Amino acid sequence: MRRQVELESRVLTPHEMPGPDSGGDALADALALALHRYLTDHRPLLVSRYELALEATRRPELRSFFDRAGAVFHDPLTAMMAAAGSASPNGTPCP
């Protein structure tokens, strides 16, 4: 799992992400770039992330580590989504 996070950090480059106040266009551009990198040059990394996510649903001890490790990517995106006006930046359904 640690290796997965290390490799994803090289691809998704959280340090290059725009700040929360950068606006919706910067957020869309950052997400598009991350998705493009993942799908074009790093498909095996995407598949391994998916496999780890599936395994984490079956093993609670892995789930907590999986969630903590993903926070390096999730937390900045949540902040950007909130700043862009999302009613549900964590992805929970809106009432």
Side-chain angles (χ1 to χ4, degrees):
M1 181 86 59
R2 287 182 184 90
R3 181 74 173 142
Q4 178 81 20
V5 172
E6 178 185 327
L7 293 172
E8 286 180 337
S9 291
R10 292 180 192 169
V11 173
L12 302 176
T13 59
H15 63 280
E16 291 180 353
M17 295 176 96
D21 298 326
S22 298
D25 288 342
L27 172 61
D29 288 345
L31 292 175
L33 178 60
L35 186 59
H36 174 75
R37 287 177 178 169
Y38 233 153
L39 294 176
T40 57
D41 299 326
H42 303 281
R43 201 170 185 93
L45 186 61
L46 179 62
V47 171
S48 68
R49 161 60 67 178
Y50 182 68
E51 289 174 353
L52 282 169
L54 289 174
E55 187 63 25
T57 63
R58 294 186 283 270
R59 296 178 42 202
E61 69 280 4
L62 183 59
R63 183 74 214 185
S64 62
F65 185 81
F66 183 83
D67 290 344
R68 285 192 313 273
V72 69
F73 307 108
H74 181 266
D75 293 348
L77 285 174
T78 300
M80 283 190 289
M81 295 294 289
S86 172
S88 181
N90 286 320
T92 54
C94 295

